[in-house]
């Protein structure tokens, strides 16, 4: 017993010394930011092994998605400072101030992105999203020409073709179409558009249900599985997933299958590139790469293809899903939208790309949905030097904000998009707010500045075409279900908008009805 006690005392002293040292470092960080109000926790919100929100312990991962502007309102400032003890004492700043956000995003060299935050997106190789400095410029130079006006025109034409094919061969021009979950509509539309406009691979609604020779999974199923469970790649090595749980093994197989598909696409398009001129994104990227003095390696090329594929699929399919939910919930807003389409829609044909600007209300619906559900909840940055900002609160009080070099900065899009100082009734669904002047610096669904999303035009073009075509012909409603007969509007709204997280958020279950006009 005596020997045990003698061994325990030095150990306890060592633990005490470690704790005191950590606490001293924690207090030093608090002093360095002038004790700016916010969270003081044991873990930061990037600690994946404790993703829960518990006072003094952790803020929880993706907390801005759940509280939106609520935490900013509580402290009375549009900047929140979170200081953590473990694993290393440090400060994280959450920005819902448009002026500060604009300055940070516009100064790429002063506030580069912390590349470790994008580890998930290096799955198939380096790419434009996970690089900085000269490497980013080199990849941007190659990729930018692929996102051209000609590609946007192709996106529009293919989207119109796909929706008309759906009306005729899937919905069979029925008066009433019921779907169990809105994602059953938006996911295939997005994948079909991506196949045609991104890879020159035209598919009908009835194709791609059987894996082709040499594959055990369809391209569509592989992409869906990988994008929705990509976090497994960070937590577990590939060899472990191949022998792990059934879900892990399924993901591992999907990951291998998607890699094979991407490699086959690169080789096939290289072999045919000189035979015909095509304007799809993939072919344009390959052509730009072959003709560039800043040529990408095959690994980087595949990495960029993967990012464009996953980003295009997730952002557009999920946002369209939320858009249809909102239109079903807010029938008066849907009617205003329909009347605007009716006034602009050609009587005897489908609209053309040249008429895109006539459907500003469609883009407004898309933007208002993005305001509520931005694809990226936080835009991470880190200062290369100490930075100082002046922050003004709603009462007009000013205070100096000091951000030490190396701190973690998050441009909090959900906070910006719900900031009542810039948005009237931010909790409401009001697409018309985007038809006139709106606070552009408080709206960052595609980020902004030099690092703004290169595929924004692709996504907007597809979304406008999908929304315009479907709402022009069908009225969307919430499907009535007996078990929810007595729910209030707010309960129904919460149920339909209940979400899960993958790379972006997506609705868990939203059964809808489409009625022929």
């Amino acid at each position: 017993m005596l020997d045990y006690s003698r061994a325990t005392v030095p150990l306890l002293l060592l633990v005490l010394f470690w704790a005191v040292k950590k606490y001293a470092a924690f207090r030093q960080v608090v002093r360095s930011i002038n004790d700016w109000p916010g969270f003081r926790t044991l873990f930061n919100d990037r600690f994946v092994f404790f993703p829960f929100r518990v006072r003094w312990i952790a803020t929880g991962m993706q907390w801005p998605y759940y509280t939106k502007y609520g935490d900013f309102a509580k402290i009375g400032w549009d900047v929140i400072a979170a200081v953590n003890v473990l694993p290393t004492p440090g400060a994280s700043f959450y920005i819902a101030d448009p002026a500060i956000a604009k300055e940070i995003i516009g100064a790429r060299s002063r506030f580069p992105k912390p590349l470790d935050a994008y580890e998930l997106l290096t799955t198939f190789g380096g790419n434009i999203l996970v690089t900085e400095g000269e490497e980013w410029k080199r990849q941007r130079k190659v990729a930018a020409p692929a996102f051209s006006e000609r590609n946007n025109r192709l996106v529009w034409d293919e989207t119109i073709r796909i929706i008309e094919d759906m009306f005729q061969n899937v919905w069979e021009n029925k008066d009433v179409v019921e779907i169990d979950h809105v994602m059953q509509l938006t996911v295939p539309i997005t994948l079909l558009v991506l196949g045609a406009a991104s890879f020159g691979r035209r598919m009908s609604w009835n194709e791609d249900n059987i894996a082709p020779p040499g594959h055990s999974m369809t391209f569509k199923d592989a992409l869906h599985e990988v994008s929705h469970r990509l976090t497994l790649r960070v937590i577990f090595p590939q060899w472990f997933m191949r022998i792990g749980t059934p879900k892990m093994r399924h993901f591992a197989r999907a990951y291998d299958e998607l890699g094979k598909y991407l490699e086959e696409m690169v080789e096939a398009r290289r072999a045919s590139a000189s035979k015909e001129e095509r304007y799809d994104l993939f072919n344009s990227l390959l052509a730009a790469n072959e003709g560039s003095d800043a040529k990408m390696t095959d690994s980087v090329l595949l990495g960029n293809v993967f990012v464009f594929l996953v980003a295009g699929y997730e952002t557009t399919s999920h946002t369209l899903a939320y858009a249809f939910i909102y239109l079903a919930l807010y029938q008066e807003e849907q009617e205003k939208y329909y009347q605007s389409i009716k006034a602009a829609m050609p009587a005897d044909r489908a609209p053309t790309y040249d008429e895109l600007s006539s459907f500003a209300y469609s883009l407004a619906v898309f933007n208002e949905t993005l305001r509520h559900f931005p694809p990226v909840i936080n835009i991470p940055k880190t200062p290369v030097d100490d930075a100082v900002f002046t922050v003004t609160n709603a009462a007009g009080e000013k205070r100096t904000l000091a951000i030490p070099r190396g701190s973690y900065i998050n441009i909090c899009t959900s906070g910006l998009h719900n900031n009542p100082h810039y948005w009237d009734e931010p909790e409401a669904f009001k697409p018309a707010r985007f038809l006139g002047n709106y606070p552009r610096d408080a709206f960052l669904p595609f980020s902004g500045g030099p690092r703004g999303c290169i595929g924004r035009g692709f996504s907007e073009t597809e979304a406008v075409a999908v929304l315009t075509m479907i709402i022009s012909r069908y009225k969307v409603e919430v499907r009535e279900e007996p078990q929810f007969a007595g729910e209030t509007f707010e309960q129904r709204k919460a149920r339909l908008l209940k979400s899960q997280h993958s790379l972006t958020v997506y609705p868990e279950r939203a059964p809808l009805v489409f009625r022929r006009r």
Side-chain angles (χ1 to χ4, degrees):
M1 186 69 177
L2 186 60
D3 290 340
Y4 177 77
S5 299
R6 286 176 178 174
T8 302
V9 170
L11 181 60
L12 289 175
L13 289 174
L14 186 62
V15 171
L16 180 62
F17 175 76
W18 175 84
V20 169
K21 187 177 179 181
K22 285 286 185 182
Y23 180 74
F26 167 80
R27 292 304 307 167
Q28 176 58 37
V29 174
V30 171
R31 285 193 295 271
S32 72
I33 63 170
N34 299 322
D35 201 12
W36 189 274
F39 306 118
R40 305 294 182 260
T41 57
L42 188 62
F43 303 113
N44 62 39
D45 67 346
R46 301 178 298 283
F47 190 68
V48 297
F49 300 105
F50 195 89
F52 314 105
R53 182 167 182 139
V54 179
R55 185 176 174 85
W56 308 117
I57 303 299
T59 58
M61 297 183 70
Q62 306 283 18
W63 64 264
Y65 166 74
Y66 299 101
T67 66
K68 303 188 188 302
Y69 188 75
D71 285 321
F72 295 94
K74 285 179 183 177
I75 71 164
W77 297 88
D78 286 348
V79 177
I80 289 175
V83 184
N84 64 279
V85 178
L86 300 174
T88 301
S92 301
F93 296 86
Y94 300 87
I95 311 295
D97 183 306
I100 296 177
K102 182 179 181 180
E103 182 175 347
I104 290 173
I105 286 176
R108 186 173 60 86
S109 59
R110 290 172 52 212
F111 298 95
K113 60 169 62 177
L115 299 183
D116 61 321
Y118 294 83
E119 184 180 349
L120 271 176
L121 297 176
T122 61
T123 297
F124 286 100
N127 58 71
I128 196 171
L129 282 181
V130 298
T131 55
E132 272 291 359
E134 293 303 315
E135 178 61 20
W136 173 79
K137 290 180 182 178
R138 187 174 70 86
Q139 292 191 33
R140 176 88 180 191
K141 181 180 177 181
V142 173
F147 292 90
S148 64
E149 189 76 4
R150 291 186 300 188
N151 184 249
N152 286 344
R153 183 179 295 275
L154 179 63
V155 170
W156 179 274
D157 292 343
E158 290 298 327
T159 304
I160 299 296
R161 177 188 65 81
I162 288 162
I163 299 300
E164 289 183 327
D165 181 31
M166 181 189 76
F167 288 155
Q168 183 174 350
N169 297 313
V170 181
W171 288 7
E172 298 175 333
N173 293 314
K174 293 177 182 175
D175 290 336
V176 179
V177 177
E178 296 190 9
I179 57 175
D180 294 328
H181 185 16
V182 65
M183 297 274 285
Q184 295 171 353
L185 170 67
T186 61
V187 167
I189 288 175
T190 304
L191 286 173
L192 290 173
V193 173
L194 278 171
S198 292
F199 297 101
R201 179 181 175 180
R202 272 193 170 187
M203 297 176 288
S204 74
W205 283 81
N206 298 321
E207 291 178 26
D208 208 31
N209 291 322
I210 300 174
H215 289 274
S216 62
M217 189 179 290
T218 66
F219 174 75
K220 176 180 65 178
D221 291 342
L223 174 61
H224 183 77
E225 176 67 16
V226 170
S227 64
H228 273 244
R229 300 188 191 277
L230 198 54
T231 51
L232 290 175
R233 282 284 296 165
V234 174
I235 301 172
F236 304 104
Q238 186 74 348
W239 66 265
F240 183 81
M241 285 189 288
R242 290 195 176 100
I243 61 173
T245 66
K247 283 186 178 180
M248 288 182 179
R249 295 197 300 272
H250 186 64
F251 173 84
R253 184 161 65 94
Y255 179 85
D256 291 339
E257 285 290 308
L258 185 59
K260 285 173 62 178
Y261 275 116
L262 294 180
E263 290 173 359
E264 289 168 1
M265 287 177 184
V266 170
E267 291 306 316
R269 299 311 298 274
R270 275 179 173 160
S272 64
S274 60
K275 297 176 183 178
E276 55 183 305
E277 189 174 18
R278 297 174 178 174
Y279 301 133
D280 61 86
L281 180 63
F282 193 28
N283 191 65
S284 298
L285 182 62
L286 285 174
N289 190 49
E290 293 300 325
S292 173
D293 56 359
K295 190 178 294 187
M296 299 179 188
T297 65
D298 280 0
S299 173
V300 172
L301 183 63
L302 278 176
N304 277 287
V305 170
F306 170 74
V307 162
F308 298 150
L309 183 62
V310 170
Y313 158 67
E314 288 254 334
T315 299
T316 310
S317 66
H318 295 173
T319 306
L320 283 172
Y322 286 118
F324 285 119
I325 293 171
Y326 272 117
L327 291 170
L329 286 167
Y330 292 84
Q331 288 293 316
E332 289 185 7
E333 292 296 338
Q334 184 181 169
E335 181 60 24
K336 292 178 190 175
Y337 174 37
Y338 169 65
Q339 292 301 327
S340 76
I341 295 176
K342 192 176 176 181
M345 197 78 167
D348 57 348
R349 58 173 174 80
T352 67
Y353 178 70
D354 294 324
E355 295 165 323
L356 173 64
S357 60
S358 300
F359 301 102
Y361 215 121
S362 296
L363 183 59
V365 169
F366 188 58
N367 281 340
E368 177 68 344
T369 307
L370 285 167
R371 188 182 69 80
H372 283 281
F373 287 93
V376 178
I377 297 166
N378 290 313
I379 303 171
K381 300 288 182 180
T382 187
V384 295
D385 294 305
D386 293 345
V388 177
F389 299 96
T390 299
V391 187
T392 306
N393 66 10
E397 300 171 335
K398 295 183 182 294
R399 186 170 174 181
T400 299
L401 170 68
I403 301 182
R405 62 176 296 181
S407 299
Y408 210 87
I409 299 174
N410 287 293
I411 308 299
C412 188
T413 54
S414 54
L416 276 172
H417 292 184
N418 289 275
N419 191 329
H421 307 132
Y422 303 94
W423 301 100
D424 178 47
E425 294 182 274
E427 71 287 347
F429 180 71
K430 297 166 63 175
R433 70 172 92 233
F434 284 96
L435 296 176
N437 292 324
Y438 63 90
R440 296 178 184 275
D441 293 337
F443 183 61
L444 294 172
F446 295 98
S447 190
R451 296 298 304 240
C453 177
I454 196 172
R456 180 173 188 165
F458 188 115
S459 181
E460 290 177 340
T461 301
E462 178 187 350
V464 169
V466 170
L467 290 168
T468 301
M469 288 294 288
I470 292 180
I471 298 302
S472 70
R473 193 172 301 192
Y474 285 86
K475 180 180 181 180
V476 57
E477 301 172 351
V478 177
R479 193 175 76 184
E480 298 296 336
E481 297 177 293
Q483 65 268 40
F484 302 117
E487 68 184 351
T488 65
F489 173 80
E490 289 301 323
Q491 288 171 333
R492 170 173 288 197
K493 180 179 175 181
R495 171 171 63 86
L496 293 174
L497 294 175
K498 184 180 180 182
S499 301
Q500 296 288 334
H501 291 264
S502 54
L503 287 178
T504 63
V505 293
Y506 61 94
E508 190 174 282
R509 179 180 177 271
L512 301 180
V513 178
F514 291 81
R515 299 186 187 278
R516 187 76 181 261
R517 295 189 187 276

